[in-house]
Amino acid sequence: MGVVRIKENLAFPKVVLIDTVSYCNLRCSMCSHKDMKRKKGIMEWSLFKKIIDEVSRNDKSTRVWMVFFGEALIIKRTKPSIFDMLSYAKRAGLKEVVLNTNGVLLDRESSEKLIDAGLDGIFIGIDAFCEETYEKIRCGGDYRRVVQNVLDLIDVKQKKGADKFNIRVQFVEMEENRRERDAFTQYWLSKGVDVKIRQKLSWAGLSGEAAGGSWDKRHECYWIMDTMSITDTGDVAICAADPEARFVAGNLARQSIREIWNGKLKEVRELHKKREWEKLPYPCSQCGDWEVSYKDRMIRARRKGVIRGRIKRYLSRFTYLAD
């Protein structure tokens, strides 16, 4: 892998992650959420609007994730709901509003409401092609239910004519599921959705060692350089790999995005650009996830194809998936 150098000095983040809710309904094996120590909660509506309004004023092309480290569909029936939040962000003129979900709560009604609210894209974490493997990784989930929810979402998208709405399924590659990666990829591409393959994260050391990370070849972390991660209370973490917010750069209830981005976070970015790793604050100083940040792979679904050979035989083991 060639090193990608990030030279641009951004005055405003290109990506903003918002912890609309920090609760989750699963206890996934590769995720540190189940052991999270910071208090869980739901973001106040006034704080959410303040964040969205500032993004809208500064850069409507900033990609806004409606989740940082929780499951946003947990608040699909609250007032305001995740759909209200999405609608507000789109009415503010934001061009790319996306959502990450485990898909368990993604029923057909939710699919319709997400598209109606103007969501631009959704990433559904599944991480397995075998029910047994799924149960080991996505603890507390229901594999068949999630698969059907995604198939229903595809159907809703088609019936609504929402051609610009992007559906992506995610596969976090690890020892437990590596043998299923190809079958997973081929199956979902055949359904016309994109597949995102990513390496397992350590969450800056919270869940063991990172999958990548040669310290003698360390370079700038992609997430540090262009992303702001915001907890439900407005605390700004050092990056998306620090869900505990062990380093807090500021708080958006009292400060602006621009102020924090060009304050402590800029200091961290400068240390990355100068490669002064020993001066980085904890947990960035001990994090090996910087290399993982460059290894995401998006496999585009250009058309529905015929699945042949070994993959087709593999799929035939799962009669509920082989249609």
Side-chain angles (χ1 to χ4, degrees), residues 70 107 109 146 148 183 225 241 262 264 318:
D107 53 29
E109 179 185 5
V146 170
Q148 189 57 56
M225 302 306 289
N262 292 293
K264 288 185 178 181
F318 309 96

Side-chain angles (χ1 to χ4, degrees), residues 119-139:
L119 185 67
D120 295 293
I122 190 168
F123 293 73
I124 303 125
I126 305 177
D127 305 320
F129 193 68
C130 170
E131 189 169 6
E132 181 181 0
T133 304
Y134 177 89
E135 290 174 352
K136 291 178 182 178
I137 296 172
R138 291 275 171 178
C139 304

Side-chain angles (χ1 to χ4, degrees), residues 3 14 24 45 53 62 69 79 110 127 184 187 194 199 204 207 250 252 276 285 289 295 312:
V3 175
K14 297 302 295 181
C24 188
W45 179 244
D53 290 348
T62 291
F69 206 57
K79 291 294 182 181
S110 297
D127 305 320
F184 178 93
Y187 174 76
D194 298 340
Q199 298 284 322
S207 297
L252 288 170
E276 295 180 349
S285 59
D289 292 325
K295 290 188 173 181
K312 186 175 182 180

Side-chain angles (χ1 to χ4, degrees), residues 8 28 34 94 108 112 123 132 137 149 164 182 221 255 265 267 278 286 300 302:
E8 184 179 2
C28 300
K34 56 187 176 294
L94 303 193
R108 195 174 186 90
E112 293 174 348
F123 293 73
E132 181 181 0
I137 296 172
N149 285 347
K164 294 183 180 180
D182 291 346
C221 176
Q255 298 168 272
L265 289 184
E267 293 174 7
E278 72 285 355
Q286 300 179 31
R300 306 290 181 181
R302 301 191 183 281

Side-chain angles (χ1 to χ4, degrees), residues 214-230:
S214 302
W215 289 95
D216 59 331
K217 298 179 181 179
R218 185 169 183 172
H219 52 84
E220 301 96 318
C221 176
Y222 182 83
W223 295 319
I224 285 285
M225 302 306 289
D226 76 349
T227 302
M228 175 177 281
S229 303
I230 307 164

Side-chain angles (χ1 to χ4, degrees), residues 138-153:
R138 291 275 171 178
C139 304
D142 184 327
Y143 180 62
R144 297 190 183 210
R145 178 180 177 182
V146 170
V147 170
Q148 189 57 56
N149 285 347
V150 179
L151 295 176
D152 286 345
L153 176 63

